[in-house]
Amino acid sequence: MARCRFCLLTDHIPGVRLDTQGVCQYCRQGEQSRQRDRQQRAELKAKFSTLARERAGQAAYDCVVAFSGGKDSSYTLYLMREVYHLRPLAMSFDNWFQSERALWNVRQVAGRLNVEQVTVRPGFRDFQEVVRLCLKPGLFPRKAMQRASAVCTLCLSMIRASAFKLAIEKRIPFVVFGLSPGQAPVSTAVFKTHPAMLEKMQSSLQRTLETQLSFPIARYFLQQDHLQQAQDFPYSINPLVFEEYEEQKIFDLLRDLGWKPPEDTDANSTNCLLNTLANQIHLQQYGFNPYIFELSELIRHGSLARREALERLSSPVKENILEKVEHKLCNEAHHGDYADTAAIHF
Amino acid sequence: MEIMQTLRQYIFDNILFEEDATLQAETSFLDSGIIDSTGILEIVAFIEQCYNITIEDQEIVPENLDSLQAISKFVQYKIRCFC
């Protein structure tokens, strides 16, 4: 197995090709391509700034921010509030496996920024079943498995749907996500999904899931009335694609907001304990860590040093977290400990 | 035909990572589960760059982008109209 000289990608990953000098095709794209990307990012920032000015103030809130209390979404919430001067509604998705510290950070950061925050929490047994299903191979396209583990992919789909539901119901023009520049392609930075496309994508995913789950997962996604009522469908925004993204600066800024790094998550997450298990399973099934593409892109982007990224990739698994998560996933009798509710709590 | 061949090769190299004889011109990417929404946006970016065309958000609909045949027709239309 050979590793690219510049990023972390290895030649045993499907689709990765190293040339005779040991450089992968993504790093080989050259300065011209990077220059085009920089120009595109500047154009996207200008586009969002214009849209934000045009659309702000037309509803009770200007944007829904998907807010986990992790580093990137906390920074995103700060950007919307303090840099773009929008009125965000922060939406947190508590998947029952959030770090206690992340839940604390949700309150801390939202409080400090004076932002209203709501929590969407799926039914415990529903989500438990979803996660178990995601641990089996072959649920998603192979390309999707380069971006994230199956658990993260499905959890993100549910978060995305919950955020869009909220935006449509409250006529909020933007749904904002804190995906890092390594997670989100440039083309997704400022994008207005057509309801027809969303409907097709949802129905395709639901068909795959429905036959394998004991409950109707459709209720966690957009309903027909969301798709039909949305005359002016919300924009999907990934601002970290076009904003400055330097990890140390972000940590410094968040520290000023009282944000504290969790100690119980793995090296690649600042909010979710499931990540540890999901990464392990992904590694077993596909032969690579699902963060390898994101970390490699952050190296190319100049946001992360290669040595640090390599350390993060090879950091040891926290066995105690793994055990805790596996226990919670296997435990069928949580009736006394968990309220099985899927309501939005205001 | 040339557009379809270029697209097919792009999909094999960058999305499926192997040749797939079952991928027919009319196979729905989303129904067959071989490409997800972000994959479709990556194809859009490739098309824009490869054929020097701009695809608007409202044009990103299944009729235009959910199969090799649909994309091929759509790209031909865009080239005819705007190039």
Side-chain angles (χ1 to χ4, degrees), chain A residues 125-241:
Chain A
R125 287 188 297 280
D126 289 357
F127 197 77
Q128 193 185 39
E129 200 176 323
V130 162
V131 174
R132 284 185 192 157
L133 175 61
C134 287
L135 298 180
K136 297 175 187 168
L139 193 63
F140 292 105
R142 290 174 72 185
K143 180 69 178 175
M145 295 298 92
Q146 281 193 344
R147 296 184 214 105
S149 68
V151 173
C152 282
T153 300
L154 191 48
C155 190
L156 279 170
S157 297
M158 294 170 80
I159 293 169
R160 189 174 293 276
S162 302
F164 267 93
K165 275 183 184 178
L166 201 53
I168 292 166
E169 287 165 8
K170 294 184 177 296
R171 300 183 180 278
I172 300 172
F174 302 110
V175 180
V176 184
F177 300 94
L179 296 177
S180 82
Q183 289 174 317
V186 175
S187 55
T188 65
V190 180
F191 179 64
K192 193 168 191 174
T193 308
H194 194 289
M197 197 68 175
L198 199 55
E199 186 175 10
K200 179 88 175 174
M201 290 175 328
Q202 277 199 169
S203 64
S204 166
L205 178 60
Q206 283 169 27
R207 255 199 321 277
T208 308
L209 300 173
E210 267 165 11
T211 54
Q212 303 180 67
L213 292 170
S214 68
F215 66 94
I217 195 163
R219 69 170 179 262
Y220 290 109
F221 291 92
L222 273 77
Q223 310 298 305
Q224 272 304 315
D225 56 344
H226 292 114
L227 295 163
Q228 285 166 359
Q229 285 175 20
Q231 297 297 321
D232 201 8
F233 217 69
Y235 279 85
S236 174
I237 309 292
N238 284 317
L240 303 189
V241 170

Side-chain angles (χ1 to χ4, degrees), chain A residues 23-267:
Chain A
V23 180
C24 75
Q25 75 267 34
Y26 304 102
C27 290
R28 190 53 86 189
Q29 281 174 341
E31 183 51 32
Q32 197 180 355
S33 168
R34 278 191 280 276
Q35 177 63 31
R36 194 176 53 238
D37 275 0
R38 279 195 287 272
Q39 190 180 337
Q40 205 177 351
R41 287 174 208 275
E43 287 168 4
L44 288 164
K45 184 177 168 110
K47 183 179 177 182
F48 177 59
S49 298
T50 305
L51 282 170
R53 273 196 304 276
E54 286 172 0
R55 310 274 169 132
Q58 293 178 8
Y61 306 95
D62 299 320
C63 58
V64 172
V65 176
F67 176 48
S68 68
K71 163 180 64 76
D72 291 335
S73 67
S74 297
Y75 177 49
T76 300
L77 188 62
Y78 164 84
L79 288 172
M80 292 303 113
R81 180 69 166 158
E82 299 295 324
V83 176
Y84 287 93
H85 305 293
L86 297 177
R87 292 165 306 156
L89 175 58
M91 188 215 77
S92 308
F93 187 85
D94 177 4
N95 68 7
W96 299 93
F97 291 86
Q98 295 295 98
S99 154
E100 288 297 324
R101 174 63 72 188
L103 297 174
W104 186 89
N105 281 328
V106 163
R107 290 173 60 91
Q108 172 64 25
V109 173
R112 187 68 73 90
L113 292 172
N114 193 30
V115 167
E116 284 173 70
Q117 181 267 333
V118 296
T119 298
V120 176
R121 187 177 301 115
F124 173 72
R125 287 188 297 280
D126 289 357
F127 197 77
Q128 193 185 39
E129 200 176 323
V130 162
V131 174
R132 284 185 192 157
L133 175 61
C134 287
L135 298 180
K136 297 175 187 168
L139 193 63
F140 292 105
R142 290 174 72 185
K143 180 69 178 175
M145 295 298 92
Q146 281 193 344
R147 296 184 214 105
S149 68
V151 173
C152 282
T153 300
L154 191 48
C155 190
L156 279 170
S157 297
M158 294 170 80
I159 293 169
R160 189 174 293 276
S162 302
F164 267 93
K165 275 183 184 178
L166 201 53
I168 292 166
E169 287 165 8
K170 294 184 177 296
R171 300 183 180 278
I172 300 172
F174 302 110
V175 180
V176 184
F177 300 94
L179 296 177
S180 82
Q183 289 174 317
V186 175
S187 55
T188 65
V190 180
F191 179 64
K192 193 168 191 174
T193 308
H194 194 289
M197 197 68 175
L198 199 55
E199 186 175 10
K200 179 88 175 174
M201 290 175 328
Q202 277 199 169
S203 64
S204 166
L205 178 60
Q206 283 169 27
R207 255 199 321 277
T208 308
L209 300 173
E210 267 165 11
T211 54
Q212 303 180 67
L213 292 170
S214 68
F215 66 94
I217 195 163
R219 69 170 179 262
Y220 290 109
F221 291 92
L222 273 77
Q223 310 298 305
Q224 272 304 315
D225 56 344
H226 292 114
L227 295 163
Q228 285 166 359
Q229 285 175 20
Q231 297 297 321
D232 201 8
F233 217 69
Y235 279 85
S236 174
I237 309 292
N238 284 317
L240 303 189
V241 170
F242 53 78
E243 288 294 336
E244 183 183 27
Y245 188 87
E246 273 187 51
E247 288 210 333
Q248 196 49 55
K249 280 189 182 175
I250 295 172
F251 280 124
D252 291 346
L253 187 148
L254 294 180
R255 198 180 311 118
D256 290 344
L257 293 175
W259 184 92
K260 293 181 180 172
E263 290 173 355
D264 51 358
T265 54
D266 65 37

